[in-house]
Amino acid sequence: MYCYDCGDVITTENETEEHILLNAIGGKLYSKKIICIECNSKFGSNIDDTLAAQLNPISNLLNIKRDRGVPPNIKGRYKNRDILIEPGGRIKLFRPYLEKDENSFRIETSTEAQARKVLKGLKRNNPEIDIEEQLKNATKSKKYLEAVKVDMEFGGEETRRAICKMALNFYLLNEGSPEDIQHLIPYIKGCEDDAEIFFYYPHTETFYKDEKEILHTLILVGEPQHKHLYVYIELFNEFKMIIFINKNYQGQPIYSSYHYNVVTNEVVEFEEMVKIPFQQLKKYKSKNLDQKVFGVRLRQLFQRIDNITVARRINEITTSSIREMEDKYPRDKHPIITKEMTRFLADRVSKEFVLSFQHRLKF
C-alpha cells in the first residue's frame, strides 16, 4: 500500500493509525494502510478538533466511549447559574456562588472542598467565622434541573474539511484509487477554498433507524448512470453531508456502507442497500445549512438521546437500589425476600424516580 499524499510505500516503520471516523465522537473504524505518519502530521489536527468540539455536546450526553479519556465537560446555563455537564449528563456548578448582605452570607458550591475554600476567603475579613461549624450545619441537597441551555453549532470551513477527509479516507479504505482523490487534498490542507461538499436534509429519513439507534454512517456510491462518485455521511443520525469525489464517474457501480451504533458500541449490518434517489440528491443538497430544518432535526435527536438517557437512568436506579438492599439485608442472613426488604427497595426506587423525573425535560 502507498501513502495517498506522498506516494511512499507504507511499512511498519512509517505507518500510522488513521481513524476513518474520529475516535473523539466514538469512531472505531481505522486503517494503517492509507497514509504515512509524516504526511498525516502535515494535515494537522485542527480540522478534526473543530469537528469533535462542535459535536462534543452529543458525545458528552451519550458518554461516548473513546480509546483515551472521556468526552470533555460542556458548559451550560441554568437560570442565573453557569454549570458544567459531565459525560453522561451529570451536572455541577461551574464555580462557587456567594451572596452576601449586611448580616449573613450564602454559599452555593458543588463540593465541600469548594465551600471550605470560600469560607477561608471570607474568614480573612470575618475572623469570627467558624469554618468547621459552618460546614457541619450546611444543607446538602441533590436535584435534577428542569432545563439547561447549551450552545451548539455545526458547520464552517474547518468542519467541512474534516468531513471531506473522512470521506476521502473511507473511499481509500474501500480500495479506491489515490489518483481519484488528489484534487481534494489541497482543500483538506486549506490550500484551496472550496470542494463539492454539501449539507443534505431531505424531508424523509434516508434509511430507517430504531428508536434506540444513534448511528455513524458512511456510504460510498459509484453511479456510472449519473456519472457520480460520492460518499454520504451521517454523524449521530442528524449531521448529514454529501461529498462528491467525481462528478464525471464512468467506472463500475460501487456500493459500500458502514454503520456504527454509538449507543451499543456495535457495527450494524443492513441487509438492503441504502438508496438515495438521484432526483432527491439534486433537490436537497445545499452548500448552506438550512437552520430551520436542522433545528427540527436536532430537537428530534435530543429527544432520542433523552429517551436513551432515561432508560439508562432507570437501569441505574434499579441496580443501585437492589445493591443497597442486599448490603442492608445480606443474602446469607436473609435468603428469602421479606415484606420489610420489599418496602425498603420500593422506598429507595420511588425516591430516586421522583428525584430524577419530577421535572422531565420537554423538547
Side-chain angles (χ1 to χ4, degrees), residues 4 16-35 48 51 162-174 216-219 231 233 235 258:
Y4 68 76
T16 182
E17 189 175 281
E18 172 70 352
H19 276 87
I20 312 302
L21 281 163
L22 297 185
N23 185 244
I25 61 172
K28 303 297 181 184
L29 185 65
Y30 66 89
S31 173
K32 293 183 178 181
K33 301 299 181 183
I34 60 178
I35 191 170
D48 290 343
L51 176 59
I163 294 289
C164 184
K165 180 185 173 188
M166 195 179 295
L168 179 152
N169 285 342
F170 188 61
Y171 175 66
L172 295 173
L173 182 71
N174 284 277
H216 289 326
T217 291
L218 300 168
I219 301 175
V231 177
I233 295 178
L235 303 176
Y258 176 83

Side-chain angles (χ1 to χ4, degrees), residues 222-330:
E223 293 181 329
Q225 178 183 357
H226 301 298
K227 298 184 178 181
H228 281 170
L229 176 65
Y230 65 86
V231 177
Y232 172 69
I233 295 178
E234 274 191 18
L235 303 176
F236 295 119
N237 290 3
E238 300 300 348
F239 301 87
K240 308 177 183 185
M241 301 194 78
I242 297 275
I243 301 87
F244 286 97
I245 296 173
N246 189 342
K247 298 188 80 172
N248 190 32
Y249 180 68
Q250 299 178 23
Q252 295 296 314
I254 298 173
Y255 181 86
S256 179
S257 67
Y258 176 83
H259 309 270
Y260 186 78
N261 189 343
V262 297
V263 177
T264 60
N265 299 305
E266 295 174 325
V267 175
V268 179
E269 300 291 343
F270 284 75
E271 293 183 2
E272 297 184 1
M273 293 171 54
V274 176
K275 296 181 180 180
I276 303 177
F278 178 68
Q279 292 301 324
Q280 188 168 311
L281 184 63
K282 288 177 60 178
K283 182 177 180 179
Y284 294 112
K285 66 180 176 66
S286 174
K287 282 285 186 179
N288 299 313
L289 181 62
D290 187 323
Q291 294 294 339
K292 184 177 180 180
V293 173
F294 180 64
V296 171
R297 303 300 305 178
L298 204 56
R299 283 192 291 274
Q300 292 178 357
L301 173 60
F302 277 110
Q303 183 63 67
R304 184 173 295 219
I305 292 173
D306 185 57
N307 293 340
I308 292 169
T309 302
V310 167
R312 285 178 175 174
R313 182 60 185 148
I314 289 173
N315 183 65
E316 290 173 359
I317 290 172
T318 304
T319 302
S320 64
S321 297
I322 291 174
R323 190 180 299 115
E324 287 183 39
M325 183 190 72
E326 291 179 341
D327 289 342
K328 184 175 177 63
Y329 303 96

Side-chain angles (χ1 to χ4, degrees), residues 138-157:
T139 301
K140 296 181 180 180
S141 64
K142 184 170 81 170
K143 64 180 180 179
Y144 285 75
L145 308 185
E146 297 176 39
V148 173
K149 180 181 179 181
V150 176
D151 293 328
M152 185 172 180
E153 63 178 347
F154 180 64
E157 281 307 313

Side-chain angles (χ1 to χ4, degrees), residues 203-219:
H203 289 170
T204 57
E205 284 287 358
T206 305
F207 60 96
Y208 172 78
K209 306 170 192 69
D210 184 82
E211 280 300 312
K212 295 181 180 179
E213 289 183 330
I214 296 182
L215 306 180
H216 289 326
T217 291
L218 300 168
I219 301 175

